[in-house]
Amino acid sequence: MAIRVLVVDDSPTIRRVVGAVLARHGFDSLEAADGEVALDVLMQSARAQQDGELSGPGKIDIVLVDYAMPKINGLQLCRAIRQSDLLHSMPIVLMSAKSDHVRNHFVQQTGAIDAISKPFDARALIAVIENAVRRTDQWSTRADSISIDVLEDIDVPDAPRATPTQPISSVALSGDVSVIPIGAVLQLLQLESQTGVLFATDGKSEVTIAMRQGLIDLVQAQGAGIEFRLGRYFLERGLVSPEDIDRLLGDRAAKVEPFWEHKLLGDLLVESGRVTREQLSEALARQSSELVYDLLRWPQGRFEFRRESTPAADSARLGLPVASVVMEGFRRVDEWRLVEGGLGSFDSVLLADSTAIEVGGIERLANGEQKLLAMVNGERTVRQIVQESHMSSFDACKILFQLLEARLVRRRSA
């Protein structure tokens, strides 16, 4: 029986050309115009195979996925496949016009079996599919691992994709963070009043900055620390409890609906009456700003600015001015160096000096200082105090540094 490939791309031209190439080389193919249709086809196929039914689209062996698509993009589709009990071991091959570093990060995020750069020719496509076929058995036994052999770009014109309602998502600017700092990139985008999405990755995490006419509308991240989760900002203000968040997320997960229809945590909190829409906007502004502050500290990484949009950013429309965000970020970068040098190892344990506290008077301390001082018990490390404080690393470390400088706390001897 011939290997069956599901080709997922919003371009009819790409689907037609890829299908013809596969047919000439003995492969069967199915087509899907977007991730939503593809997921439906895959689920029909998987259920039919599980039940031993002859109806449905038939067994699908490999999914060939485009990165940029409407409704459900390639990243969302791959995550849905990996989260499905029926589909999680499905081999995925990525098609992308994105640069190598972004494509590699996408592969790491989704566990694709292989990748091909667009534009490509027939020989390159078949080579990737055949390579994926050879590795399929090995892949199925370790579906959660990461395996990728990135192929070199082939300089062959791509099929046209532009339509009046779906413009080409083109790379307008890209580079190395160690050569062109993100602060300079953001200032350039502001100066030129650019609209689009700035992607940055250091290989471990990816930050996405949505821009509108040179303003920052929303910043999101994958693989960032837990301090950048939206719920933290509400916990810090005492608007919700960890149990509230767990309950809302648990209720959302229990609903029988596609994951892309799941409401975001912020919307759930607003609908439940726990926070107002204004408080949500404030939390998103703080989250976005702090992600940029952290990004300005990256010593290395890659960035790419693309002319595209994201639904979440279109909804948030924070309109943060780049100049003030970057200026505050640079100030924090300088202060971070001082604080980190004074704190030393994040694995060190702090002790409270009861005599100094009694003399100085705890009532003279600010609320944040009192909160962290109460957490210094001779057992928690600096790292643990920061994590349990529900504050940003910067704010928590700055307070601990001030407490050390005031000699209200000291490091426990080894």
Side-chain angles (χ1 to χ4, degrees):
M1 184 179 294
I3 297 295
R4 176 165 290 180
V5 181
L6 176 61
V7 182
V8 190
D9 197 298
D10 60 319
S11 167
T13 302
I14 294 293
R15 297 197 305 271
R16 184 171 59 253
V17 170
V18 169
V21 171
L22 291 173
R24 286 201 303 270
H25 290 80
F27 296 95
D28 287 341
S29 65
L30 295 172
E31 297 181 7
D34 57 59
E36 185 175 340
V37 173
L39 192 57
D40 184 54
V41 171
L42 286 167
M43 291 301 295
Q44 288 183 40
S45 171
R47 291 192 183 106
Q49 296 301 311
Q50 185 182 55
D51 298 336
E53 298 177 1
L54 298 179
S55 60
K59 184 176 184 295
I60 296 173
D61 300 288
I62 295 173
V63 184
L64 189 61
V65 180
D66 183 36
Y67 187 99
M69 296 184 294
K71 295 185 179 179
I72 301 178
N73 62 31
L75 178 61
Q76 293 168 324
L77 173 60
C78 289
R79 286 180 179 165
I81 291 173
R82 291 290 170 252
Q83 292 168 1
S84 169
D85 292 337
L86 291 176
L87 303 175
H88 72 277
S89 61
M90 174 66 66
I92 299 170
V93 174
L94 167 67
M95 296 187 293
S96 177
K98 287 180 176 287
S99 58
D100 283 351
H101 77 280
V102 175
R103 186 176 63 248
N104 288 353
H105 185 63
F106 177 91
V107 168
Q108 292 168 359
Q109 289 274 319
T110 62
I113 194 172
D114 213 333
I116 184 170
S117 298
K118 295 170 68 175
F120 51 79
D121 62 14
R123 291 172 300 174
L125 173 63
I126 294 304
V128 170
I129 295 297
E130 290 179 342
N131 180 53
V133 171
R134 287 193 296 269
R135 296 167 60 187
T136 295
D137 291 338
Q138 177 187 12
W139 170 261
S140 297
T141 63
R142 55 184 186 87
D144 294 329
S145 64
I146 298 172
S147 180
I148 178 66
D149 295 325
V150 180
L151 304 180
E152 294 182 357
D153 291 346
I154 298 174
D155 189 16
V156 177
D158 195 4
R161 299 194 54 175
T163 68
T165 59
Q166 185 68 28
I168 293 176
S169 175
S170 60
V171 178
L173 183 68
S174 64
D176 189 329
V177 170
S178 65
V179 177
I180 307 175
I182 284 295
V185 177
L186 287 170
Q187 289 170 326
L188 173 62
L189 295 176
Q190 180 188 42
L191 182 64
E192 298 295 331
S193 298
Q194 289 294 314
T195 298
V197 180
L198 176 64
F199 299 90
T201 180
D202 61 356
K204 298 177 183 178
S205 59
E206 179 179 295
V207 177
T208 303
I209 305 175
M211 307 284 296
R212 175 177 49 87
Q213 295 295 309
L215 300 174
I216 298 173
D217 267 348
L218 186 67
V219 186
Q220 298 173 295
Q222 294 288 337
I226 60 174
E227 69 179 272
F228 297 111
R229 294 179 182 175
L230 184 62
R232 191 217 96 202
Y233 299 91
F234 302 119
L235 292 171
E236 183 180 355
R237 292 187 58 183
L239 297 173
V240 299
S241 67
E243 292 74 24
D244 291 332
I245 293 176
D246 290 342
R247 190 178 306 110
L248 286 172
L249 294 179
D251 292 343
R252 183 184 69 178
K255 291 184 177 179
V256 182
E257 61 183 9
F259 83 98
W260 61 88
E261 293 182 3
H262 283 176
K263 294 181 179 178
L264 299 176
L265 174 61
D267 293 327
L268 292 175
L269 289 169
V270 171
E271 289 183 2
S272 68
R274 289 174 172 83
V275 303
T276 65
R277 184 62 63 179
E278 292 72 20
Q279 289 169 333
L280 172 59
S281 294
E282 290 172 6
L284 288 172
R286 286 193 57 200
Q287 180 189 46
S288 295
S289 297
E290 290 183 8
L291 281 167
V292 174
Y293 302 156
D294 187 67
L295 181 57
L296 293 174
R297 300 175 62 210
W298 286 11
Q300 59 186 13
R302 299 284 302 177
F303 69 85
E304 182 176 280
F305 180 71
R306 301 179 68 86
R307 295 190 181 97
E308 58 186 49
S309 62
T310 63
D314 292 340
S315 175
R317 295 179 70 88
L318 298 176
L320 304 177
V322 167
S324 58
V325 174
V326 169
M327 186 176 299
E328 173 63 15
F330 285 150
R331 186 192 69 78
R332 291 190 177 215
V333 168
D334 291 338
E335 197 167 355
W336 251 121
R337 297 192 184 101
L338 176 64
V339 169
E340 288 178 319
L343 277 179
S345 172
F346 274 38
D347 294 317
S348 61
V349 176
L350 299 179
L351 290 168
D353 189 323
S354 57
T355 301
I357 294 172
E358 184 177 352
V359 172
I362 193 171
E363 67 279 355
R364 299 175 61 182
L365 299 177
N367 290 337
E369 293 171 328
Q370 293 184 30
K371 176 181 177 180
L372 263 65
L373 183 57
M375 298 177 68
V376 176
N377 60 0
E379 296 180 0
R380 290 189 180 94
T381 63
V382 171
R383 191 184 314 278
Q384 290 171 328
I385 293 173
V386 172
Q387 290 175 345
E388 295 174 22
S389 69
H390 299 310
M391 295 183 180
S392 71
S393 294
F394 175 80
D395 290 335
C397 288
K398 181 179 177 180
I399 290 175
L400 290 176
F401 174 65
Q402 292 170 341
L403 294 175
L404 276 168
E405 289 287 287
R407 307 202 180 234
L408 296 177
V409 302
R410 56 184 173 83
R411 297 179 187 85
R412 191 181 72 183
S413 301

